[in-house]
Amino acid sequence: MNRLNLKKWQKILPFNLLVWIILALYLLPIISMVFTAMMSTEQLMDPRSPLYPARQLTFNYQGKDYPLYNVPTGSGIRPMALFQPGAKSSLFIDPQNPGAAPIRWVGGWRSLQGLYEFHISWDNFTVMAKNLPLADMLRNSLLILFLAEIGVLASSIVTAYGFARFKLPGGDLIFYILIATILIPDKVTTIPTYFVYVNLLHWRGTIYPILLPWFFGSAMYIFLLRQNFRSIPIDLEEAAMLDGAGPLQRLFYVILPQSWPVVITVSVLHFFYMWNETRTASLYLSSANPALMPISIGVQVYESRVPIQNIIEASSMVILAIPVLLLFISQRYFMQGIVVTGTEK
Amino acid sequence: MQKSKKNARQYFGEWRHWGLLLISPWLAGFFLLKFFPILASLALSLTNFYLLEPQKTEFVGLQYYIQFLHDPDMYTVLNRTIMLALAIIPVQLVSSVCIAALLSNRRLLAKNTMRTLFFLPSVIPSAAFIFMWQGFFNPASGWLNRLFLNPLGLAGLNHLSGRGAGNSLFILTSLWTIGPGMLILMGSMQGIAPELYEAAQVDGAGRFRRFFSITLPLITPAIFFTLILNLTAVFGGAVMMDRGYNFDSNLSSYDSYIYFYLFRVFKLGAATSLAWIFLIFTMAIVITLFITSKYWVYYPDPEKRA
């Protein structure tokens, strides 16, 4: 039994090790971001500091703190406090014998390796929280998200049901048009719609141009929902119809209760999309009405103004946290895979 | 078989326009937000509409199209967009197939968690995304130099970072947008019947042979779908969770050329002709892909499969 187990592990472990290494490399920039966000600016400027958030150890000598370095001496490498840095030689204090006179060490102190301890600095987050109206921007984002979700789910579900189960004039042509609209680049429609929103409806500085399109459904989600609705056996619907249920009743009482995974997948996909949405928000909101800016564009504007890497990374972490959390909560539905059986009907 | 035919289309003996009514939200949106705007931009592109003097608008026919077809700047920005697509799409496609294959492997431990972790970069907002990579590429404090290039003595390569156009290191960042494609490919791989692999194993086919002769041909529909998805993402269509490459005008030079005519020069006629040239170009590529797809995409024949 034991040997069997061992054999099994011998087969499994090398493969999983490979996957873990690939994953670590793949996520390296995220790890780098998390560490940088918790670094002090001093550490960021110090090229010999460790990769993890840290601060240099110091030694208190006569009421003042001096940084510790590993100094090669006659009796091996010893940690010493830099008392008086100089260009050619520097004065050091031996922490084990602070009563003695400072020791002169010849050589450039900048070539010495410092001593560091793990230390998290939360300053970047407090600086950002002080400069950014995070609560307001979060409220804007959630309002936009909530309305857009309602709009896109209601219209896409109803439309997908129409495509999945009903005969349409023109046969499959309408469905092909639906697929084709996914492929049309925004560039072509942006100019006339911008003109209508801004010059005719005077919607510049409002959230309406961001929301309105979603109330007409989204071709991509309609496609995903339709594929799923079609995989549900039709018998139950026929039974419901014999009992006198109309199309909308069948959708709500027969189809939807069996389609929660795909509905959740679509709403989570849309959450990610809207949370990240900066294109229309920057076009209609950012300069016209900064008070209504959602958090994604607000943080982006802020980041372009603050050229300090660790504060930028801290603000990145703030907008990253919510989608990542949602991803882990919804993984059960999400990771079943979005099943697309080709582009045939 | 019986079922799929029943499933296809049904009247249900009801009012025959229920279908049309149900799809009407999308249909209205199609006309209001796609069809009419496209027609409007076509009409606009045939005029010399100038935002500051709208009363002087005249019909100029194909004048702007002819002008742009002789405009070296147009070719420069178009070329840059094509080069970006040619660099990014193969990288994305190959890596998403490979990762999907790894994540569908039976020997993988903690399947769901691993899949979620590989999907994670795809949900990172663009505001975080771009600065995160800039931090990673930073020549002084970035991890790319400190962990890989400095020990190998290759730090000189990294002057490619920063914000220049044609930034080859940023192609790496496109690896972080493969999530949705990866999920689709994974779903497709799970749909393959295990008997096929068992039969091949009995016949002595090795692991790689099984991958190239069974998995790859059977997931071609998903590969095709992912290819279209990646293509539209690079060219600025509306796709799943698309972060777009528009957040950096260096990476989307065609857009910035359009925006130049739109927001700096205020020549809407010229801007819309540029957009239409791009539409024709994209559609030509997509139609070519659809036509060639029947030679390399495997479609199971529903009649024979029963």
Side-chain angles (χ1 to χ4, degrees):
Chain A
M1 185 64 205
N2 234 340
R3 187 180 290 169
L4 235 167
N5 248 338
L6 195 73
K7 225 174 173 183
K8 194 182 131 206
W9 278 101
Q10 273 173 349
K11 273 181 100 176
I12 286 179
L13 208 62
F15 174 77
N16 280 281
L17 219 56
L18 175 76
V19 176
W20 293 333
I21 291 170
I22 294 173
L23 181 70
L25 287 175
Y26 192 55
L27 298 185
L28 208 56
I30 301 183
I31 303 166
S32 146
M33 175 207 70
V34 174
F35 283 0
T36 312
M38 297 191 282
M39 277 181 191
S40 65
T41 309
E42 293 157 27
Q43 193 197 345
L44 198 70
M45 299 296 165
D46 178 2
R48 282 159 310 156
S49 66
L51 293 174
Y52 56 86
R55 68 173 167 206
Q56 195 160 10
L57 288 170
T58 55
F59 175 69
N60 193 297
Y61 177 70
Q62 294 176 349
K64 270 183 87 179
D65 285 333
Y66 296 98
L68 282 171
Y69 287 90
N70 273 326
V71 183
T73 60
S75 51
I77 294 173
R78 283 169 54 193
M80 306 248 260
L82 180 63
F83 178 63
Q84 203 181 71
K88 294 244 171 63
S89 65
S90 312
L91 288 179
F92 282 91
I93 289 156
D94 188 348
Q96 262 141 40
N97 189 8
I103 303 159
R104 181 164 295 276
W105 180 78
V106 181
W109 65 272
R110 282 177 195 280
S111 67
L112 294 171
Q113 183 60 47
L115 269 93
Y116 294 90
E117 65 171 353
F118 181 79
H119 172 76
I120 293 175
S121 150
W122 297 108
D123 294 355
N124 306 323
F125 293 93
T126 47
V127 167
M128 179 194 54
K130 220 179 284 168
N131 286 303
L132 266 183
L134 280 178
D136 290 352
M137 294 194 310
L138 189 66
R139 194 201 55 217
N140 295 338
S141 272
L142 291 180
L143 178 74
I144 292 173
L145 257 160
F146 178 71
L147 295 172
E149 285 276 3
I150 290 179
V152 85
L153 282 179
S155 53
S156 299
I157 286 174
V158 169
T159 304
Y161 184 56
F163 274 116
R165 286 285 198 254
F166 293 86
K167 203 162 190 136
L168 296 169
D172 288 331
L173 182 68
I174 303 187
F175 185 64
Y176 290 136
I177 293 175
L178 173 91
I179 297 298
T181 59
I182 300 176
L183 308 172
I184 295 171
D186 289 357
K187 301 171 186 55
V188 190
T189 52
T190 305
I191 296 165
T193 44
Y194 182 86
F195 188 77
V196 170
Y197 289 148
V198 173
N199 292 34
L200 296 182
L201 299 170
H202 303 287
W203 278 356
R204 202 173 133 79
T206 68
I207 58 172
Y208 305 131
I210 303 170
L211 289 177
L212 184 80
W214 301 112
F215 281 80
F216 296 106
S218 150
M220 193 74 225
Y221 305 147
I222 293 171
F223 176 69
L224 287 176
L225 290 163
R226 170 193 180 268
Q227 298 296 96
N228 198 276
F229 292 169
R230 279 171 70 86
S231 69
I232 297 171
I234 208 162
D235 313 23
L236 267 174
E237 267 174 275
E238 282 175 335
M241 199 181 59
L242 290 178
D243 290 344
L248 284 177
Q249 278 167 314
R250 296 200 297 271
L251 172 61
F252 281 105
Y253 295 113
V254 182
I255 293 281
L256 278 186
Q258 299 181 65
S259 311
W260 283 120
V262 70
V263 171
I264 290 175
T265 302
V266 165
S267 21
V268 171
L269 277 172
H270 196 58
F271 184 98
F272 293 145
Y273 184 94
M274 288 312 285
W275 185 261
N276 297 348
E277 212 282 332
T278 52
R279 215 173 301 168
T280 48
S282 67
L283 208 54
Y284 297 104
L285 275 184
S286 60
S287 55
N289 194 349
L292 282 179
M293 271 200 296
I295 195 158
S296 56
I297 191 84
V299 166
Q300 199 166 354
V301 169
Y302 173 70
E303 284 175 338
S304 57
R305 276 195 224 121
V306 189
I308 303 169
Q309 194 67 40
N310 49 354
I311 297 181
I312 286 176
E313 306 285 31
S315 58
S316 298
M317 268 182 77
V318 170
I319 49 170
L320 195 102
I322 289 176
V324 167
L325 206 68
L326 182 72
L327 177 67
F328 277 94
I329 293 171
S330 64
Q331 62 159 325
R332 203 156 67 91
Y333 300 101
F334 212 63
M335 289 302 132
Q336 287 170 357
I338 306 163
V339 180
V340 178
T341 47
T343 34
E344 18 85 79
K345 298 160 278 170
Chain B
M1 180 66 222
Q2 199 60 33
K3 205 141 250 173
S4 79
K5 197 158 207 177
K6 253 169 115 186
N7 215 343
R9 290 279 192 269
Q10 286 256 336
Y11 267 120
F12 284 121
E14 292 179 310
W15 183 47
R16 39 194 289 260
H17 294 304
W18 260 115
L20 207 57
L21 186 70
L22 286 169
I23 68 161
S24 61
W26 170 77
L27 210 56
F30 168 71
F31 282 110
L32 287 175
L33 299 169
K34 300 279 177 194
F35 189 68
F36 293 137
I38 290 173
L39 279 191
S41 73
L42 179 65
L44 213 55
S45 74
L46 301 175
T47 68
N48 62 355
F49 189 85
Y50 180 44
L51 201 57
L52 304 181
E53 293 171 332
Q55 67 280 9
K56 282 191 185 165
T57 304
E58 277 174 17
F59 180 79
V60 294
L62 293 174
Q63 187 201 310
Y64 284 122
Y65 289 87
I66 294 160
Q67 181 197 321
F68 282 123
L69 288 178
H70 292 98
D71 175 12
D73 287 345
M74 201 281 289
Y75 287 104
T76 311
V77 290
L78 187 62
N79 194 29
R80 214 174 277 168
T81 309
I82 295 170
M83 283 317 190
L84 186 74
L86 284 180
I88 281 177
I89 291 172
V91 169
Q92 285 185 326
L93 215 53
V94 172
S95 54
S96 48
V97 170
C98 290
I99 294 179
L102 285 180
L103 295 179
S104 313
N105 197 302
R106 267 180 301 136
R107 280 174 293 174
L108 186 72
L109 300 169
K111 264 200 172 90
N112 265 350
T113 313
M114 294 308 276
R115 288 174 182 178
T116 310
L117 285 171
F118 270 101
F119 193 82
L120 196 143
S122 296
V123 309
I124 295 173
S126 60
F129 184 87
I130 194 77
F131 291 102
M132 195 187 293
W133 280 97
Q134 269 176 11
F136 189 70
F137 289 154
N138 188 308
S141 61
W143 283 23
L144 181 71
N145 267 15
R146 292 188 62 179
L147 281 179
F148 301 105
L149 298 185
N150 283 344
L152 294 171
L154 292 172
L157 280 180
N158 199 4
H159 56 228
L160 294 165
S161 66
R163 276 169 170 258
N167 205 321
S168 50
L169 275 180
F170 270 107
I171 292 164
L172 263 185
T173 63
S174 70
L175 283 179
W176 270 22
T177 54
I178 60 173
M182 201 176 72
L183 278 190
I184 289 165
L185 289 164
M186 237 158 53
S188 167
M189 283 178 191
Q190 274 153 14
I192 300 174
E195 299 91 61
L196 283 176
Y197 292 108
E198 283 157 22
Q201 208 162 3
V202 169
D203 288 348
R207 190 170 300 150
F208 287 97
R209 184 67 203 271
R210 291 201 298 269
F211 179 75
F212 284 106
S213 303
I214 299 175
T215 314
L216 220 47
L218 286 179
I219 61 164
T220 42
I223 292 180
F224 181 63
F225 192 80
T226 313
L227 175 69
I228 299 284
L229 213 68
N230 291 344
L231 191 84
T232 21
V234 175
F235 285 166
V239 283
M240 269 195 281
M241 295 176 52
D242 145 60
R243 248 184 311 243
Y245 276 89
N246 297 3
F247 53 80
D248 193 332
S249 58
N250 287 326
L251 285 173
S252 183
S253 39
Y254 203 90
D255 279 20
S256 46
Y257 200 48
I258 293 179
Y259 283 160
F260 168 74
Y261 272 98
L262 191 60
F263 294 119
R264 296 273 179 277
V265 190
F266 302 116
K267 287 195 168 160
L268 267 64
T272 44
S273 357
L274 271 177
W276 255 86
I277 291 172
F278 197 80
L279 178 70
I280 293 165
F281 171 75
T282 320
M283 287 299 140
I285 293 180
V286 170
I287 290 168
T288 317
L289 274 177
F290 268 96
I291 290 170
T292 57
S293 75
K294 67 166 176 250
Y295 298 109
W296 63 275
V297 177
Y298 166 79
Y299 288 117
D301 189 23
E303 299 299 317
K304 281 181 195 151
R305 285 189 107 200

